[in-house]
């Protein structure tokens, strides 16, 4: 469990995402898509519900992606992906990979019912949540992915979020799906490997939770996107790990930084005191200990 090597040849291959998209400067979600498509390849269909990426991809007939896109309603990514997979199977197309690509609001909250239903049926597609920890596309409102301590437009001032972030990977692992994993844009080799693994598994629901920093909502400079994302892993705030069939755990990295190292450089946490950081550190340490017990 040491730092992950990042072979540079993985980062210079031609991609399936074009320049000219409308993502914000430093947008972690656009970086995530670039790495994901590099792993998934041309025979991929993206199912994108309402989210930042529904805008970034561009309105029909324009598109920033060189793969087909099915735009769908906020709450329906799991159901729409299930139906699309069934339609492709009816046509005898078993090679095309169906990928649901949703934000945290459309995964943790509004889309969870359809996702849970698809996972319970073990539908054959990859579900990706690119997590920027709030409803960024509509004005930085808190979601159940928003971590404790965060100021958003719906948790402002001294009303900053007082509850834990939902553990979505453990929730999906409890469905006993074939594969659930976390990934981070600051660790591209690890991320690409996990997407290739999910693609090659073929069959059943595969879930990948991608940490994707949002300079706009997190109140950080655009050039800090990768640094902040890396610190999330190095502080064990966002562990990199995999779960197969709900029971086999693999931990990919163990950090030695503190949550204050990670949180204090972000504007959304500037109001926190040393006492607040200590409380959050205790929560992270508890979660980390629980995770290591499952290895």
């Amino acid at each position: 469990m040491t730092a992950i090597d990042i072979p540079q040849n993985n980062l210079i291959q031609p991609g399936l995402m074009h320049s000219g998209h409308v993502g914000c400067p430093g947008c972690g979600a656009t970086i995530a898509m670039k790495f994901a498509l590099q792993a998934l390849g041309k025979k991929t269909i993206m199912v994108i519900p309402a989210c930042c990426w529904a805008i970034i991809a561009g309105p029909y007939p324009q598109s920033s992606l060189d793969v087909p896109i099915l735009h769908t309603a906020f709450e329906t990514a799991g159901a729409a992906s299930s139906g699309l997979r069934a339609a492709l199977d009816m046509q005898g197309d078993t090679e095309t990979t169906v990928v649901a690509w949703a934000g945290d609001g459309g995964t943790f909250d509004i889309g969870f019912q359809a996702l849970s239903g698809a996972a319970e049926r073990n539908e054959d597609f990859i579900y990706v949540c690119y997590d920027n920890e709030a409803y960024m596309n509509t004005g930085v409102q808190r979601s159940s992915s928003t971590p404790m301590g965060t100021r958003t437009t719906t948790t402002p001032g001294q009303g900053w979020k007082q509850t834990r972030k939902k553990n979505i990977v453990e929730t999906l692992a409890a469905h006993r799906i074939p594969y659930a994993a976390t990934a981070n844009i600051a660790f591209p080799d690890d991320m690409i490997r996990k997407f290739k693994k999910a693609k090659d598994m073929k069959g059943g629901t595969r879930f990948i939770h991608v940490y994707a920093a949002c300079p706009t909502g997190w109140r950080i400079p655009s050039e800090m996107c990768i640094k902040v994302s890396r610190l999330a892993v190095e502080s064990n705030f966002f562990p990199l790990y995999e779960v197969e069939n709900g029971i086999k755990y693999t931990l990919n990295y163990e950090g030695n930084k503190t949550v204050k190292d990670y949180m204090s450089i972000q504007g959304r946490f500037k109001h926190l005191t040393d006492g607040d950081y200590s409380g959050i550190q205790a929560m992270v340490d508890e979660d980390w200990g629980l995770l290591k017990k499952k290895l």
Side-chain angles (χ1 to χ4, degrees):
M1 293 180 293
T2 56
I4 298 168
D5 294 328
I6 305 173
Q8 292 301 307
N9 64 320
N10 269 349
L11 307 182
I12 59 176
Q13 297 173 13
L16 296 172
M17 191 176 84
H18 304 294
S19 59
H21 59 72
V22 294
C24 297
C27 172
T30 60
I31 299 170
M33 179 67 83
K34 178 181 178 180
F35 291 148
L37 285 176
Q38 185 172 312
L40 296 169
K42 183 79 170 177
K43 289 192 174 181
T44 302
I45 297 180
M46 287 285 173
V47 178
I48 304 180
C51 61
C52 290
W53 250 103
I55 307 301
I56 296 170
Y60 179 83
Q62 299 173 336
S63 177
S64 61
L65 301 182
D66 201 20
V67 297
I69 301 170
L70 173 62
H71 287 285
T72 188
F74 215 151
E75 70 278 13
T76 64
S81 299
S82 301
L84 181 55
R85 178 72 268 162
L88 290 170
D89 290 344
M90 287 285 288
Q91 295 178 341
D93 181 351
T94 59
E95 295 185 2
T96 300
T97 303
V98 175
V99 179
W101 187 271
D104 51 283
T107 302
F108 286 65
D109 300 336
I110 294 172
F112 183 73
Q113 181 181 20
L115 169 58
S116 178
E120 185 273 331
R121 297 188 304 271
N122 203 26
E123 299 283 0
D124 180 11
F125 66 89
I126 300 172
Y127 191 108
V128 181
C129 173
Y130 68 90
D131 185 5
N132 49 35
E133 298 191 321
Y135 289 85
M136 299 305 184
N137 187 41
T138 54
V140 196
Q141 300 92 348
R142 66 91 93 187
S143 74
S144 61
S145 170
T146 304
M148 183 175 179
T150 308
R151 274 182 175 166
T152 69
T153 54
T154 50
T155 53
Q158 292 305 307
W160 45 267
K161 189 167 184 276
Q162 303 287 332
T163 55
R164 284 176 177 266
K165 176 188 178 94
K166 182 189 290 183
N167 193 326
I168 195 68
V169 173
E170 294 302 304
T171 305
L172 268 294
H175 289 68
R176 294 294 186 95
I177 58 175
Y179 189 64
T182 63
N184 187 298
I185 59 171
F187 296 83
D189 194 54
D190 177 73
M191 181 175 171
I192 291 169
R193 177 185 64 81
K194 286 171 178 173
F195 270 87
K196 286 181 177 179
K197 182 174 181 177
K199 176 188 176 183
D200 292 343
M201 289 180 85
K202 288 284 185 186
T205 306
R206 291 89 80 201
F207 180 83
I208 302 179
H209 180 197
V210 180
Y211 205 65
C214 174
T216 304
W218 294 11
R219 292 193 282 167
I220 58 174
S222 59
E223 66 270 18
M224 292 278 285
C225 176
I226 298 300
K227 178 179 179 179
V228 170
S229 297
R230 183 178 294 113
L231 281 169
V233 173
E234 292 177 337
S235 63
N236 300 324
F237 189 91
F238 184 83
L240 291 180
Y241 69 106
E242 302 164 83
V243 189
E244 296 179 57
N245 299 309
I247 54 175
K248 181 185 177 184
Y249 281 70
T250 303
L251 187 60
N252 309 122
Y253 189 101
E254 183 167 2
N256 56 12
K257 301 288 180 70
T258 69
V259 294
K260 187 174 181 181
D261 293 332
Y262 163 67
M263 300 176 81
S264 63
I265 60 175
Q266 301 177 56
R268 60 178 178 158
F269 299 122
K270 285 295 185 184
H271 54 283
L272 297 179
T273 65
D274 285 342
D276 296 326
Y277 285 126
S278 294
I280 295 169
Q281 182 69 63
M283 292 171 58
V284 169
D285 290 344
E286 179 186 39
D287 290 344
W288 181 254
L290 291 171
L291 176 58
K292 292 191 75 172
K293 287 180 180 179
K294 296 176 181 179
L295 300 177

